[in-house]
Each structure stands twice: as structure tokens, then as C-alpha cells.
Amino acid sequence: MKDQKHVPVRVRFAPSPTGYLHIGSLRTALFNWLFAKHYKGTFLVRVEDTDRQRSTKEYEDSILKSLAWTGIVADESIVYQFDRLPIHKQIVDSLLQQEKAYKCFCPADMLQAKKEKMINQDQTYQYDKTCRTLQEEKAGQPYVVRFRTDISEDTFTFHDAIRGDVTIPAEQIDDFIILRSDDTVTYNLAVVKDDHDMQISHVIRGEDHLLNTVKQILLYQALDYQVPIFAHIPLILGERGQKLSKRDAITSVVEYQKQGYLAQALCNYLVRLGWAHGDQELFSQQEMIDLFTLDGVHKSGAKFDQAKLDWLNEHYIKKLSIQNIIDTFKTNLSKDIVQDTPTWSEYTRSSWIILYQERARTLQELYTDVVKAYSLPESYDLDGLRKIIAKDSIVVLQLLQQELENVEFDKDQLLSLIKGFCKTHEYKMSQIAQLLRCALLGSISGPSVFDMMMLLGKKEVQQRISHMISLL
């Protein structure tokens, strides 16, 4: 991309520690990180913790851990925005001295009444600049500081590295607040000062910041700072085309980790959510770094597809070694499958994991299925079973139990026995296989019934059949 040829790339991800890391925020961090790595630049993290009432250490630690889990780590020390409050206030004072900002003493209730009146008249509300020409300050009265916005045209246009020229109606940009009445600076002022001091070359963030970008460019110009290159990525959308919410999918990265999604799968999915390299779907981390540029980022929103994420996760689970899976159970799920299946040998445990590995969509699903296979079923899918064998399930199980008693537990011999049983009693192979699977697992769906019988052994198989008979 031509914009990068002469600009040392420095980008940042700036989360607010007021909640767990959102899936959309992780994608923003990923795009910034990949962009920096692709151009051999620098990726920074700034914690925007100025909201002291809502910001917590718990959320901050969680966000940083989620980033580390996906391999996204800052190249320099983390910057904390609240620590820079005195610097931000100096900028406000400077703007006031230069008459590029002014104090506004308008009571909040009066402004709210004006706003409601404009809305009722179907008009766009703008601060009416009541205090802009105020000659004397109102001593002792609370005030905010507003930036003096001067846009000579009806619109304001800036260049976006993804969208091209973006035009915003001037009526949407009023004399916005840069210092609140509680003496804290607002987002736009703090961000401009921080990005300037951190020498940020590119601001890559969601398209919901387009209006903020106009305000920030005005501040850059007023402060005589170099304006960075802006790039606004499309939002992640729900099924109905609206902004993704908890009603559409899990939105917390922590929850994805707890449910057994792999970091590699999640990043692979997110990089394709709004960016493309031809028709390629699967990317290693190095491939993402090598191929990612802003030229491949789409302008329109991308719909979240849970089935595709599950498919990718399933793909990456299949590639894991058994030891990787056992270790990831501990790190992602905080569960120890060795402790939870104490009587199984290492071979048996590994064999059960392999049986389910090919069909598991998440590590949580894989763990649950393996541990479920360890014990006698607590319940049975009788409704599903009735659709396969309408009656005589007990009789069939008793007959099977008798025949299994006299056979060597060898896979070929078991297969031959069941085939003979089906022919003698006029059942389909699938009917008997699902009946046996139900006895062994409590479910009619699952791995090969013969593989399970070999792993469980004759004594355990007979015990599980007897247990099901006793409950029917």
C-alpha cells in the first residue's frame, strides 16, 4: 500500500477496562497487530482507564490475558491514559489561552431541554454556542470546556485508507466538550494527545468512530500536530444485519476461551471477518502476517457466522496432538482430564480422546464427551431409541448380552457376531449399533460402537448393558 512506503508504522490498540474484551475489539487488535508485523512496525497497547467509576483492575488483567492468549503482545511498555491526565489538562489550558476553546457555563438541564425540543421538531441538535462569545466568566459556577469548531464548508471531508474520501455533514460537528465539569478530559482530547506523543502513524479502528475522527482531526490541526493515517474497519454484524450483540453470539473473548475455542481458530476466523486474500479460508499466523494489508479490508460489514467458526475450530482441534489437547484442557478450561478419569491407562484415555477428536467442535465438547464415556450413563435417549427400535429393546439387549458373553472381544469377531445377530433376528445393523451405543453412552449418536466396545472391554460392556436393562 503506497501510504506505508515512507511512514514508519506505529499502531495502537486502546481498550477501556470497563468490561471483558469484546470479540469485535479483539478483531481490531488483531488487524493492528498484523498490520504492524507485516510492515515490520511497532504495535502498542494503551489502556484508556479514565472512567474511574467503571474501570477495574480485574477487567484490565482479563483484557491483557485475552490478548496474550491470542499471541497479541505489545512491543513497548503499556501506556495508561489516566496517568497522563495532567498532560491532557495542559493541552486544554493551551487551547483556552489561544482562544481555540472556551468555557461553557450552560446548565445541563437547560441543554437537555433544548436538545429534546430540536428532536421533537425532527431537527439535528447542535450546541447553540451560547457561551462562545461570553465576555465575562461566571465565577464560582460549574463549567465545561468546549472546542471552538470552525468548519467553513457545509461538509467536512477526510481521507480514509480503507474507504477513500469520507464526507461528514458539518451540522453533525458542534463545539464539542473537551473538559468535563468534574475536571476530567473527554475521549477525543485525550486520544489526540496520546496518539501524538506515542507517535502513532496509523489509527485503525471500527467505523463507529467516523464522527470522532472528524473531531480529532480538528484537534490535530488546532494543536499543529501531524495528522495520522486513519483506517476504519467494518463492524461485525448479527444475522439480521445489525451490530453484533449478545443475542446473536457470544461477545466476550474470555467466554470463547472457556467454551473451548482455540486461539488460532478464533484469530483465523476474525481475520476473514472483513478481510480477504482471494478465496483462502485457512491461514497460519505467519501467513496472516505475510498477507495482511489494508487493501484487503472490506468496506461493508461482515455477518458473524457461528457455523463457520465452529468448522474452523473443529479443523484446528483435529491437528492437535493428544498432549496438546490435555494441556489445553488445563489452560483453557481449567480442567484436568487425567484426574477426572483416574482408572484409565494413558493408552485408554488417549484412545477415547482420538475417538471424539474427529467430531468435536470445541474443546469443551471434546472434554465433556470423553469424561461422559468414563462412567455409567446417568440417563438414556429413550425417545431417540424408540424411533429406531419401537419395542422389545430389553429383550434385544438381553439376547445381545448372552451372545457377547461367549465371544472373544476382538473387533472382527464382534462385527461378525453383530452381523449374524441382525440376520437371525431381522434387524438392521444401524438399529443394533445404535441400541448398543445407547447402552454404552446413553446416546444413540457417538463414535463407532465397536471401537468403544474394544476400549471398554467385555466386563464394562456387560455392566453397562445390565445397567440400561435395569432402568428400562
Side-chain angles (χ1 to χ4, degrees):
M1 187 172 177
K2 64 181 181 180
D3 289 331
Q4 277 71 63
K5 288 184 179 178
H6 307 294
V7 179
V9 170
R10 286 176 66 85
V11 296
R12 50 72 169 175
F13 174 60
S16 297
T18 55
Y20 297 111
L21 186 63
H22 189 280
I23 193 75
S25 298
L26 176 59
R27 187 188 61 160
T28 300
L30 177 65
F31 279 21
N32 275 277
W33 186 80
L34 291 174
F35 185 79
K37 297 307 170 188
H38 179 85
Y39 290 103
K40 296 179 172 55
T42 305
F43 171 79
L44 306 173
V45 172
R46 180 175 69 235
V47 177
E48 298 191 337
D49 54 348
T50 53
D51 186 341
R52 305 309 288 174
Q53 290 186 334
R54 297 172 59 216
S55 297
T56 69
K57 188 69 167 61
E58 176 190 352
Y59 287 140
E60 177 196 324
D61 290 344
S62 176
I63 289 169
L64 296 178
K65 285 179 182 178
S66 291
L67 290 174
W69 174 62
T70 58
I72 299 174
V73 180
D75 295 318
E76 296 179 5
S77 298
I78 294 172
V79 174
Y80 290 88
Q81 194 170 70
F82 183 73
D83 294 344
R84 293 174 50 79
L85 182 59
I87 298 172
H88 299 151
K89 291 174 69 173
Q90 287 175 11
I91 297 300
V92 174
D93 291 339
S94 175
L95 290 171
L96 283 169
Q97 290 169 10
Q98 297 175 63
E99 297 187 349
K100 294 178 179 179
Y102 61 92
K103 295 179 180 179
C104 173
F105 296 89
C106 296
D109 56 351
M110 181 185 78
L111 293 176
Q112 183 62 31
K114 290 181 178 181
K115 183 177 181 178
E116 291 175 359
K117 182 179 179 181
M118 295 292 285
I119 292 173
N120 291 335
Q121 295 173 355
D122 293 326
Q123 297 182 42
T124 301
Y125 172 75
Q126 254 193 343
Y127 174 63
D128 58 12
K129 305 177 183 178
T130 299
C131 293
R132 193 174 198 185
T133 57
L134 200 66
Q135 297 299 314
E136 294 183 6
E137 292 188 8
K138 300 180 180 181
Q141 290 194 26
Y143 65 88
V144 299
V145 175
R146 292 182 180 272
F147 178 74
R148 193 182 298 270
T149 301
D150 289 308
I151 302 176
S152 58
E153 305 293 332
D154 293 335
T155 58
F156 185 96
T157 300
F158 68 92
H159 184 75
D160 185 278
I162 294 171
R163 300 165 180 276
D165 287 343
V166 176
T167 298
I168 303 292
E171 66 178 14
Q172 294 186 21
I173 314 297
D174 61 2
D175 287 0
F176 53 92
I177 297 171
I178 57 174
L179 184 75
R180 303 182 186 91
S181 58
D182 63 359
D183 210 32
T184 60
V185 297
T186 60
Y187 167 79
N188 286 306
L189 187 285
V191 163
V192 167
K193 180 56 178 171
D194 292 345
D195 283 347
H196 171 75
D197 289 355
M198 293 168 70
Q199 299 178 298
I200 299 302
S201 64
H202 298 74
V203 177
I204 304 171
R205 58 189 181 189
E207 64 180 345
D208 49 339
H209 281 284
L210 283 169
L211 190 58
N212 283 329
T213 296
V214 176
K215 297 176 180 180
Q216 289 166 23
I217 290 175
L218 292 171
L219 284 168
Y220 274 107
Q221 293 170 345
L223 294 166
D224 198 25
Y225 290 166
Q226 176 67 42
V227 179
I229 296 169
F230 286 95
H232 293 85
I233 62 179
L235 297 178
I236 300 177
L237 307 176
E239 288 184 4
R240 298 181 299 280
Q242 81 291 356
K243 186 176 179 180
L244 185 72
S245 69
K246 293 179 181 179
R247 292 187 297 273
D248 301 299
I250 301 168
T251 56
S252 163
V253 176
V254 169
E255 195 59 33
Y256 279 103
Q257 183 178 4
K258 287 181 179 179
Q259 291 208 7
Y261 286 88
L262 298 173
Q264 187 177 6
L266 194 56
C267 287
N268 191 155
Y269 177 71
L270 289 176
V271 79
R272 283 289 287 112
L273 204 59
W275 173 85
H277 178 73
D279 295 328
Q280 186 172 342
E281 293 289 351
L282 298 169
F283 296 87
S284 67
Q285 186 182 82
Q286 192 57 53
E287 283 179 313
M288 286 190 271
I289 291 171
D290 292 342
L291 297 171
F292 186 87
T293 67
L294 296 180
D295 295 325
V297 178
H298 302 159
K299 296 179 182 179
S300 57
K303 288 187 178 181
F304 190 89
D305 186 341
Q306 185 66 51
K308 187 174 180 180
L309 173 57
D310 289 346
W311 172 77
L312 280 167
N313 204 51
E314 186 175 350
H315 168 80
Y316 284 106
I317 286 175
K318 289 177 183 177
K319 296 168 71 71
L320 292 177
S321 69
I322 298 304
Q323 191 57 51
N324 282 157
I325 290 173
I326 292 173
D327 291 343
T328 312
F329 282 155
K330 291 181 180 179
T331 56
N332 282 26
L333 310 182
S334 300
K335 293 181 178 179
D336 190 333
I337 198 163
V338 176
Q339 288 186 359
D340 292 337
T341 56
T343 63
W344 275 353
S345 67
E346 182 179 343
Y347 170 80
T348 301
R349 186 179 299 109
S350 297
S351 297
W352 276 104
I353 290 174
I354 291 170
L355 274 185
Y356 279 107
Q357 184 178 8
E358 287 296 310
R359 58 197 298 123
R361 292 173 299 177
T362 68
L363 287 175
Q364 180 64 62
E365 186 178 290
L366 175 57
Y367 176 87
T368 300
D369 285 339
V370 172
V371 171
K372 182 180 177 183
Y374 178 74
S375 305
L376 288 172
E378 296 180 357
S379 61
Y380 296 92
D381 181 10
L382 299 181
D383 290 337
L385 189 60
R386 291 188 189 100
K387 295 176 183 178
I388 299 163
I389 300 179
K391 56 182 179 179
D392 299 331
S393 294
I394 295 178
V395 174
V396 174
L397 283 172
Q398 289 172 334
L399 291 172
L400 279 169
Q401 200 171 30
Q402 293 173 11
E403 298 209 20
L404 288 170
E405 189 61 40
N406 301 315
V407 69
E408 185 71 27
F409 256 51
D410 170 84
K411 194 171 182 179
D412 291 336
Q413 290 194 43
L414 286 172
L415 180 59
S416 177
L417 182 147
I418 299 302
K419 283 183 176 179
F421 184 91
C422 291
K423 185 175 181 180
T424 300
H425 299 281
E426 298 182 344
Y427 283 106
K428 294 178 181 179
M429 186 72 170
S430 60
Q431 291 176 301
I432 299 305
Q434 290 184 81
L435 175 61
L436 280 169
R437 189 177 290 112
C438 191
L440 300 180
L441 294 178
S443 171
I444 60 174
S445 62
S448 162
V449 69
F450 299 106
D451 288 336
M452 291 192 293
M453 291 173 76
M454 290 298 299
L455 286 173
L456 290 170
K458 180 185 288 188
K459 181 179 179 181
E460 181 70 14
V461 168
Q462 293 286 47
Q463 182 181 356
R464 294 194 181 200
I465 292 174
S466 295
H467 185 258
M468 182 172 177
I469 290 171
S470 70
L471 295 178
L472 286 177

